[in-house]
């Protein structure tokens, strides 16, 4: 095998992993999931899922990656030769492809909004008009697809050359700026009249609202947001130097990731309360709420441009990590060069994106299990494939992998190792299993 690259600095490790984790999942998906699943009840369930399942499972993926120093599927061939464990890698590849198919569509919406903001067209007179403009745009057949195509080309330019230092450096600079912008917006939205109602909705848990489907949604969100269950963290872990602490990295990434999600919530919910927008309105939530927020600020277009550019960058660093997992697999398993692999993958993703994008227009009535193609890809990947991947990882690392390898990667037999191992062996598999069971209705 050729010499593998390593992340040079510890900051680089955090930046790259946070770059994958922080994305549309935090800025776009978290607020609408919280809106649809009871606000505070969702938030608290989500935080519990991140701490109890998320951090241990992140560490589990890092352990496999750093020990095997290879891509997601091959890692298991290295660690468990002549077994079928490498099939988990396929889970990751399929889920990544499915996620990219609809993630590109939302990222495309973000680019449209940058474009509209630049032209000064974003702020319609009324909230109703802003919502109407948005649904006109998303139900259009061609325009959203144009942006998907643009994004595929941008991804291609970066990916086909390998993940350049440019992207890493860019995310080093962009991520702190994203935090700063979020903080400024939050400072503004919490002073809006009626903001308290929104904050109460987000932070005050109504425990009676927690049920099987809220827990499933929170768990899916935790997996999605931390990029767990796909083998992305295996791939990244394989680039970590031996002196990087895996638990510390997992904890830092999880905390920063949660912080961005919560800040996005603080940006949205006071504004929905103040402008009388229904927070349960689903995927379009931020695209309708935020222009209303910007409109009331000084220099609205400036803020809109800033916000959507940074959301776009956050999305880009995540799509690149998703692409990498698939590319690494194609190039290594089929001996293909990066360019060729990128083109094949882009074609598959283009087809999925077309179906997702048209789900908001001509295909909106084509449904399976009551969901259109977009909703189905999102639901199926976040709520089924990622947790299933996490489940299998936890079984492998908790019960099959050589215990010495596990503790040597975690810095020896200490309290942290014991806590993580306990979650990976018992809590994670059992709770994922029970949550799945509750889905089938066998168990409530
Ligand atoms: N974690 C990214 C986000 O929150 C999305 C993502 C999911 C990226 C899975 C990679 C893998 O937007």
């Amino acid at each position: 095998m050729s010499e593998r690259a390593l992340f040079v600095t510890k900051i680089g490790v955090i930046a790259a992993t946070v770059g994958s984790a922080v994305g549309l999942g935090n800025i776009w998906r978290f607020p609408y999931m919280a809106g649809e699943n009871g606000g505070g009840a969702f938030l608290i369930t989500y935080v519990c899922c991140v701490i109890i399942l998320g951090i241990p499972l992140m560490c589990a993926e890092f352990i496999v990656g750093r020990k095997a120093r290879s891509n997601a599927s091959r890692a298991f061939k290295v660690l468990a030769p002549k077994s079928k464990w490498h099939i988990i890698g396929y889970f990751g590849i399929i889920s990544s492809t499915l996620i990219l198919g609809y993630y590109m569509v939302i990222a495309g919406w973000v680019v449209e909004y940058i474009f509209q903001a630049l032209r000064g067209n974003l702020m319609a007179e009324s909230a109703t008009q802003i919502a109407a403009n948005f649904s006109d745009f998303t139900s259009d057949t061609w325009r959203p697809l144009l942006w998907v195509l643009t994004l595929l080309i941008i991804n291609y330019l970066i990916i086909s050359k390998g993940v350049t230092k440019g992207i890493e450096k860019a995310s080093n600079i962009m991520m702190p700026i994203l935090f700063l912008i979020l903080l400024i917006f939050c400072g503004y939205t919490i002073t809006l009249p009626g903001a308290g109602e929104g904050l109460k909705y987000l932070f005050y848990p109504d425990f009676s609202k927690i049920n099987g489907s809220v827990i499933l949604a929170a768990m899916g969100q935790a997996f999605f947001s931390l990029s767990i269950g796909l083998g992305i963290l295996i791939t990244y872990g394989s680039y970590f130097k031996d002196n990087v602490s895996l638990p510390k990295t997992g904890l830092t990434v999880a905390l920063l990731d949660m912080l961005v999600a919560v800040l996005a919530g603080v940006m949205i919910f006071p504004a929905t309360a103040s402008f009388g927008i229904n927070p349960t309105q689903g995927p379009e939530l931020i695209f309708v709420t935020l222009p209303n927020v910007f409109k009331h600020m000084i220099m609205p277009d400036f803020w809109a441009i800033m916000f959507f550019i940074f959301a776009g960058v956050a999305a880009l660093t995540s799509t690149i990590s998703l692409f990498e997992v698939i590319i690494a697999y194609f190039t290594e398993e089929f001996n293909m060069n990066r360019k060729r692999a990128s083109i094949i993958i882009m074609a598959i993703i283009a087809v999925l994106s077309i179906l997702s994008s048209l789900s908001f227009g001509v295909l909106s009535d084509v449904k399976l299990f009551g969901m259109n193609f977009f909703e189905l890809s999102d639901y199926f990947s976040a709520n089924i494939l990622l947790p299933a991947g996490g489940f299998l990882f936890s079984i492998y690392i908790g019960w099959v992998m050589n215990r010495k390898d596990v503790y040597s990667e975690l810095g020896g037999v200490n309290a942290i190792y014991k806590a993580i191992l306990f979650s990976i062996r018992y809590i994670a598999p059992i709770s994922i299993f029970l949550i799945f069971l509750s889905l089938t209705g066998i168990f409530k």
Side-chain angles (χ1 to χ4, degrees):
M1 212 178 189
S2 59
E3 185 81 8
R4 287 180 69 80
L6 290 178
F7 290 134
V8 188
T9 62
K10 290 190 182 168
I11 293 285
V13 165
I14 300 289
T17 319
V18 171
S20 170
V22 171
L24 295 175
N26 311 60
I27 300 166
W28 158 76
R29 199 175 189 278
F30 173 79
Y32 98 76
M33 288 309 268
E36 283 182 345
N37 290 285
F42 180 83
L43 178 63
I44 194 157
T45 319
Y46 165 73
V47 170
C48 292
C49 287
V50 168
I51 295 170
I52 300 172
L53 305 175
I55 297 174
L57 285 173
M58 285 182 90
C59 292
E61 287 199 38
F62 291 153
I63 291 171
V64 170
R66 188 162 69 181
K67 189 75 216 166
R69 295 231 179 267
S70 28
N71 76 67
S73 165
R74 183 158 300 179
F76 291 95
K77 292 190 182 156
V78 172
L79 296 177
K82 298 204 192 78
S83 73
K84 295 264 178 286
W85 284 101
H86 65 275
I87 292 177
I88 320 182
Y90 303 150
F91 254 109
I93 321 283
I94 296 169
S95 321
S96 301
T97 313
L98 253 185
I99 291 176
L100 272 171
Y102 77 89
Y103 203 93
M104 284 292 177
V105 174
I106 312 299
W109 295 354
V110 171
V111 182
E112 162 82 8
Y113 271 53
I114 298 173
F115 190 70
Q116 291 298 343
L118 282 170
R119 294 177 59 197
N121 282 349
L122 211 54
M123 323 296 159
E125 305 84 65
S126 65
T128 336
Q129 191 55 43
I130 287 177
N133 289 351
F134 177 76
S135 80
D136 284 349
F137 160 65
T138 51
S139 57
D140 189 76
T141 301
W142 297 107
R143 202 175 164 89
L145 290 177
L146 194 73
W147 295 124
V148 171
L149 188 69
T150 312
L151 281 167
L152 282 172
I153 293 171
I154 296 175
N155 268 279
Y156 174 77
L157 292 176
I158 299 165
I159 291 279
S160 62
K161 292 194 184 70
V163 181
T164 58
K165 279 188 184 153
I167 265 289
E168 260 182 64
K169 259 195 202 142
S171 43
N172 267 342
I173 303 167
M174 296 289 188
M175 287 298 164
I177 301 180
L178 179 74
F179 270 97
L180 195 71
I181 292 189
L182 280 173
L183 281 174
I184 295 174
F185 282 137
C186 291
Y188 173 74
T189 54
I190 56 176
T191 57
L192 287 169
E197 252 334 281
L199 288 175
K200 195 171 149 211
Y201 183 73
L202 179 63
F203 287 111
Y204 183 78
D206 173 356
F207 289 102
S208 70
K209 288 204 174 129
I210 300 180
N211 57 31
S213 76
V214 169
I215 299 177
L216 179 72
M219 179 178 77
Q221 176 62 23
F223 280 70
F224 186 90
S225 194
L226 295 173
S227 313
I228 291 171
L230 296 171
I232 288 180
L233 302 174
I234 293 184
T235 316
Y236 278 22
S238 74
Y239 305 140
F240 291 1
K241 283 186 179 169
D242 288 331
N243 66 354
V244 169
S245 157
L246 303 184
K248 255 192 218 157
T249 307
L251 181 70
T252 314
V253 173
L255 290 180
L256 288 173
D257 187 68
M258 269 196 290
L259 183 65
V260 176
V262 171
L263 287 179
V266 172
M267 191 168 115
I268 307 284
F269 289 101
T272 55
S274 184
F275 303 132
I277 296 167
N278 185 355
T280 64
Q281 87 194 129
E284 59 265 46
L285 180 61
I286 70 160
F287 295 95
V288 177
T289 315
L290 289 181
N292 280 305
V293 176
F294 301 140
K295 214 169 83 168
H296 292 81
M297 297 174 78
I298 326 164
M299 300 193 297
D301 292 311
F302 171 77
W303 290 112
I305 294 165
M306 292 298 275
F307 175 81
F308 285 111
I309 285 181
F310 287 111
V313 171
L316 191 63
T317 52
S318 297
T319 55
I320 285 169
S321 74
L322 281 160
F323 256 108
E324 254 313 295
V325 175
I326 319 174
I327 299 263
Y329 174 78
F330 267 69
T331 50
E332 294 180 12
E333 306 300 314
F334 302 112
N335 244 335
M336 237 180 237
N337 68 35
R338 285 184 78 87
K339 285 206 168 142
R340 189 141 175 215
S342 314
I343 290 176
I344 295 175
I345 295 162
M346 277 171 54
I348 301 171
I349 291 166
V351 172
L352 294 173
S353 297
I354 291 172
L355 293 172
S356 276
S357 185
L358 296 183
S359 302
F360 292 89
V362 291
L363 296 184
S364 61
D365 290 329
V366 181
K367 293 194 172 173
L368 196 66
F369 305 117
M371 289 179 266
N372 64 33
F373 187 80
F374 174 90
E375 291 161 341
L376 199 66
S377 330
D378 182 57
Y379 184 89
F380 190 62
S381 48
N383 291 359
I384 313 273
L385 286 178
L386 302 194
F391 177 80
L392 294 172
F393 286 145
S394 66
I395 299 289
Y396 175 76
I397 293 131
W399 296 93
V400 181
M401 192 170 171
N402 182 339
R403 193 58 49 79
K404 229 199 232 150
D405 288 343
V406 177
Y407 67 67
S408 69
E409 289 298 331
L410 286 176
V413 182
N414 51 30
I416 294 174
Y417 157 78
K418 285 185 188 148
I420 291 176
L421 193 70
F422 185 72
S423 171
I424 296 175
R425 275 173 81 92
Y426 303 103
I427 303 182
I430 293 173
S431 50
I432 298 173
F433 185 71
L434 288 181
I435 294 164
F436 274 157
L437 220 55
S438 87
L439 246 192
T440 63
I442 298 173
F443 164 88
K444 284 225 176 288

